[in-house]
Amino acid sequence: MYFHGTSKINDKGHLEIGGCDTSDLAAEFGTPLYIVDEDLVRKRARQYVEAFRASGLKFQVAYASKAFCVMAMCAIVEEEDMSLDVVSDGELYTALQAGFPAGRIHFHGNNKTPDEINMALDANIGCYVVDNFVELHLLNALAAEKGKSVNVLLRVTPGVEAHTHDYISTGQQDSKFGFDLGNGAAYRAIQEGLQLKNLKLLGVHSHIGSQIFEVEGFRMAVDKVSEFAVQIKSELGLTFEVINLGGGFGIRYTSEDAPLQVEEYVKAITDAIKSNFSQAGYPLPEIWVEPGRSVVGDAGTTLYTVGTSKDIPGVRKYIAVDGGMTDNPRPALYESKYEAVLANRANEAVQETVSVAGKCCESGDMLIWDLELPEVNIGDLLAVFCTGAYNYAMASNYNRIRRPAVVFVKDGQADLAVRRESFNDIVGNDIIPARLKKEAVL
């Protein structure tokens, strides 16, 4: 079994994370439980910052908060000298409530509403990544109403298809995101943007997909973007100050995954930038990137309690846990794969192969197929690794299941970052119309 960060088996045979025994965490906070290894989050963040410092280029590393956005995470991102990407008013509000510096916030999204844009304008955020012509003119008009000039990157689709799942591949021509380079939309967006007095065009943004294990796609994107930059400077007189290459850097979920080291991704990007722009006689731009999953993904573990089981002779044995697609929809969405151990019996020998089912009323609510474990008992604790990204962020209340708590662990201390939802939280926004109310029964 491959352990991430501070995870290890302690002398009790229990899984330990951040110096905390997971059996103790289950007893104190209940299950399902998201556990975040704070030291590993900080290590990943620093790897990006240090790799870019070594390149000698100006840079910003912006954490993509869509991966996992809670106030405690925003606080860590600020302490690690990163910027922050948001894609909704909810993520923006979370960041602002956490005290994150607004000038280091970048606002993404393909359908920012007027209310969201006004909220960001009032907060004086640092940059808007504009996704389409409607937004380009809406942002300018709303900024003009407030007498403000705002920094803008235009999101472009470079025509590069990352080798990843179709749902998380975004750089190809046929995408809901961005201005296409190939059909001239990006060029027209620059032309129009230059005429809008309340926008300052800093450069362009390109994101080719997620969970990428090679650098060739990033090199190709740099080739396309740098060629475009040279054309724009020559024909329209605009020199890009910033090139944002997005995120998408892969992590190891299972032994089938072979991600590169952070330094390898960064070196490939910065070397390509230096080569392409220097050869063109173009001033070296500031480079921005947006890691999300690769900062927090392998730092997260979800802890479950095993409940029922079902053995179908000659077919398979199912075990069911007290969570499922409500706290981790990724297997149902993307056929994502995970590794797991029995956290309370982590050093025992494998004795059976089981498939891990969730408790939701859906046949597709399966977390792991064909997992090798010791003989599983009711009440055992199952720890599923690498659930830090897009798990809590995509959690739901399907079947009116309450979303789990989140704890940050470090040096033997466990701190609650998100409380477990209560039954009152579940019905807190419900209203029974007066015409449906019955007289109270005394």
Side-chain angles (χ1 to χ4, degrees):
M1 178 58 61
Y2 180 86
F3 291 102
H4 299 262
T6 63
S7 298
K8 67 177 185 179
I9 301 174
N10 64 20
D11 55 10
K12 296 180 181 179
H14 297 172
L15 175 66
E16 182 179 294
I17 306 172
C20 297
D21 189 313
T22 51
S23 294
D24 294 338
L25 294 176
E28 181 177 359
F29 299 104
T31 61
L33 179 67
Y34 295 115
I35 304 167
V36 178
D37 183 346
E38 183 178 332
D39 279 340
L40 186 52
V41 171
R42 292 182 184 275
K43 177 182 177 182
R44 296 287 184 246
R46 290 170 188 173
Q47 285 175 325
Y48 279 102
V49 172
E50 290 167 4
F52 272 99
R53 282 180 182 153
S55 76
L57 294 174
K58 293 181 180 179
F59 70 93
Q60 280 193 49
V61 178
Y63 170 67
S65 69
K66 63 180 180 176
F68 175 60
C69 184
V70 300
M71 294 202 311
M73 186 64 195
C74 293
I76 290 175
V77 170
E78 180 185 0
E79 288 183 3
E80 295 300 331
D81 296 323
M82 302 174 77
S83 297
L84 186 73
D85 287 346
V86 300
V87 296
S88 72
D89 51 5
E91 288 181 354
L92 175 58
Y93 185 80
T94 300
L96 296 175
Q97 286 296 109
F100 197 89
R104 284 160 51 190
I105 295 176
H106 309 158
F107 199 174
H108 281 261
N110 68 306
N111 186 25
K112 304 179 188 70
T113 67
D115 285 346
E116 286 177 319
I117 293 173
N118 278 322
M119 180 180 176
L121 288 167
D122 290 340
N124 294 313
I125 70 162
C127 187
Y128 299 77
V129 181
V130 171
D131 210 273
N132 51 67
F133 287 102
V134 173
E135 182 190 347
L136 188 72
H137 292 276
L138 175 63
L139 176 58
N140 182 70
L142 294 176
E145 288 178 4
K146 295 180 182 291
K148 296 184 176 183
S149 177
V150 296
N151 294 325
V152 165
L153 295 179
L154 297 184
R155 179 163 181 171
V156 299
T157 51
V160 176
E161 295 192 42
H163 300 294
T164 187
H165 193 286
D166 286 347
Y167 292 173
I168 52 178
S169 181
T170 59
Q172 70 277 16
Q173 185 178 41
D174 185 6
S175 171
K176 76 173 190 177
F177 296 108
F179 301 95
D180 185 52
L181 285 179
N183 68 11
Y187 189 93
R188 295 195 303 275
I190 296 287
Q191 286 180 307
E192 293 187 22
L194 287 172
Q195 303 304 312
L196 301 176
K197 296 181 180 180
N198 294 85
L199 306 184
K200 179 182 179 183
L201 300 184
L202 297 183
V204 293
H205 169 282
S206 165
H207 180 71
I208 61 173
S210 297
Q211 193 61 354
I212 299 168
F213 293 151
E214 42 79 28
V215 297
E216 188 57 33
F218 293 106
R219 290 196 185 106
M220 291 172 64
V222 172
D223 289 346
K224 296 288 186 72
V225 168
S226 59
E227 181 180 348
F228 182 62
V230 170
Q231 178 189 11
I232 293 299
K233 184 173 185 287
S234 172
E235 298 178 11
L236 300 179
L238 175 66
T239 300
F240 292 164
E241 300 174 36
V242 174
I243 301 293
N244 189 328
L245 274 303
F249 313 104
I251 69 167
R252 182 194 185 279
Y253 284 100
T254 72
S255 59
E256 298 175 3
D257 297 329
L260 302 176
Q261 295 297 310
V262 167
E263 294 79 8
E264 295 178 85
Y265 288 114
V266 173
K267 189 174 189 305
I269 288 171
T270 54
D271 283 355
I273 289 289
K274 291 175 183 177
S275 174
N276 285 32
F277 283 89
S278 295
Q279 287 179 16
Y282 197 106
L284 290 177
E286 183 172 320
I287 305 305
W288 295 4
V289 292
E290 302 163 350
R293 182 198 316 267
S294 57
V295 172
V296 75
D298 61 359
T301 300
T302 306
L303 195 63
Y304 301 98
T305 299
V306 176
T308 60
S309 64
K310 176 183 178 180
D311 196 350
I312 308 173
V315 180
R316 73 176 65 251
K317 179 178 179 180
Y318 291 92
I319 64 168
V321 296
D322 55 352
M325 63 189 297
T326 49
D327 58 77
N328 184 1
R330 295 187 67 252
L333 285 174
Y334 312 129
E335 299 181 347
S336 301
K337 297 180 180 180
Y338 291 89
E339 293 179 344
V341 298
L342 290 184
N344 58 315
R345 297 161 54 206
N347 58 0
E348 293 187 18
V350 168
Q351 293 190 34
E352 61 179 353
T353 300
V354 301
S355 292
V356 182
K359 64 175 293 176
C360 294
C361 191
E362 293 284 339
S363 296
D365 182 20
M366 295 294 302
L367 292 177
I368 304 176
W369 294 96
D370 300 327
L371 175 65
E372 294 185 343
L373 292 175
E375 185 175 356
V376 182
N377 302 315
I378 294 173
D380 278 335
L381 297 173
L382 185 75
V384 179
F385 297 119
C386 296
T387 60
Y390 303 107
N391 289 59
Y392 174 83
M394 299 174 79
S396 75
N397 292 123
Y398 179 54
N399 289 159
R400 290 247 142 164
I401 293 172
R402 292 169 290 161
R403 281 177 285 216
V406 181
V407 294
F408 281 54
V409 293
K410 176 179 171 63
D411 299 331
Q413 180 174 331
D415 294 300
L416 193 63
V418 180
R419 289 189 296 271
R420 184 177 306 280
E421 287 186 328
S422 67
F423 289 123
N424 283 336
D425 293 327
I426 291 292
V427 300
N429 291 323
D430 286 12
I431 298 172
I432 301 178
R435 62 185 176 79
L436 299 179
K437 290 185 178 179
K438 297 179 180 179
E439 293 294 329
V441 178
L442 300 178

